[in-house]
Amino acid sequence: MPRKTDARRNALIAAERLFREKGYAATGLTEILAASGSPKGSFYFHFPEGKAQLADEVLQRYGARIEAWLKALADRVREPRLFTIALCDALADEMAAAGWRLGCAAQNIANEAAPQEDALAMRAHQVFESWLAVLEQALGEGLSPPEARRRAVLLLSGLQGARGLARASGSREAFEALKGGAEEPDRFRPDPAHSTSGPSA
């Protein structure tokens, strides 16, 4: 039986892995307890509000770890194009090593919790915003704040979509395509000649 000092950490680690592999709704408390080796009484001592509290703490822990990793990558690879390529490669490598089973914990929880569980949806939003802030800095050299924000949102959206495609296909193809987009950063810039503001514009 794990020590009480380990039970909380083990539950968080097990829940994060299961949320990434199976999603939030499909992961039951019994499965989390079995994977963590924690007794039920110990679990509720650490997480008296149950699965929702555990998911919230998983999001905080996972979000902070990815934010720190993004910052370290941005410090090491300062050119925006190369940063994007390195980011795509790192995520594809992680998924390949895990047999393409690992999704994003924040994305999975956000997809399944919103809008029914407002607190979890808000926590996922906060996690995404923390990542976007790092991406804006990493991609924003020489750009206006709105353009840096746009490119950060575009990259994060692309990465989340690439995860889903990679899980389904069991291949790096989506990440490779996203890397190709980094070679043409102006490809998706809005064209003023094709305004969508309405026929009278």
Side-chain angles (χ1 to χ4, degrees):
M1 178 180 297
R3 296 175 300 167
K4 288 185 177 180
T5 53
D6 295 333
R8 179 185 184 84
R9 177 176 177 272
N10 290 345
L12 288 166
I13 292 172
E16 180 187 312
R17 180 84 182 189
L18 289 167
F19 292 158
R20 293 187 69 186
E21 289 184 349
K22 300 182 62 177
Y24 175 65
T27 300
L29 180 56
T30 300
E31 191 171 10
I32 295 170
L33 292 175
S36 68
S38 302
K40 193 170 185 179
S42 176
F43 176 86
Y44 279 107
F45 174 78
H46 292 293
F47 307 100
E49 297 175 28
K51 183 180 171 184
Q53 181 183 355
L54 175 65
D56 182 79
E57 296 195 26
V58 165
L59 279 173
Q60 293 182 61
R61 181 175 180 271
Y62 178 77
R65 190 175 74 249
I66 300 303
E67 180 185 4
W69 175 74
L70 287 170
K71 287 179 178 178
L73 181 62
D75 285 342
R76 189 169 71 252
V77 185
R78 294 185 176 274
E79 203 281 318
R81 181 183 63 85
L82 296 179
F83 169 81
T84 299
I85 291 171
L87 179 53
C88 290
D89 281 339
L91 293 181
D93 289 346
E94 182 200 34
M95 292 193 71
W100 307 103
R101 295 190 305 273
L102 291 179
C104 170
Q107 181 183 23
N108 288 351
I109 293 173
N111 285 345
E112 299 174 31
Q116 295 87 354
E117 298 188 48
D118 289 343
L120 280 180
M122 178 56 68
R123 181 69 71 189
H125 172 69
Q126 292 169 350
V127 167
F128 291 138
E129 286 297 321
S130 71
W131 298 349
L132 285 169
V134 180
L135 295 179
E136 287 178 50
Q137 290 293 319
L139 304 175
E141 183 179 2
L143 301 176
S144 67
E147 179 61 15
R149 169 75 178 190
R150 187 188 71 83
R151 294 198 185 192
V153 170
L154 184 63
L155 177 56
L156 183 57
S157 300
L159 290 169
Q160 299 293 42
R163 279 188 182 275
L165 290 172
R167 292 188 76 181
S169 66
S171 79
R172 308 172 69 97
E173 180 183 21
F175 288 105
E176 292 299 320
L178 197 57
K179 285 166 55 178
E183 303 288 348
E184 304 175 81
D186 293 324
R187 181 178 176 185
F188 302 104
R189 184 185 296 276
D191 185 349
H194 296 85
S195 171
T196 58
S197 59
S200 60

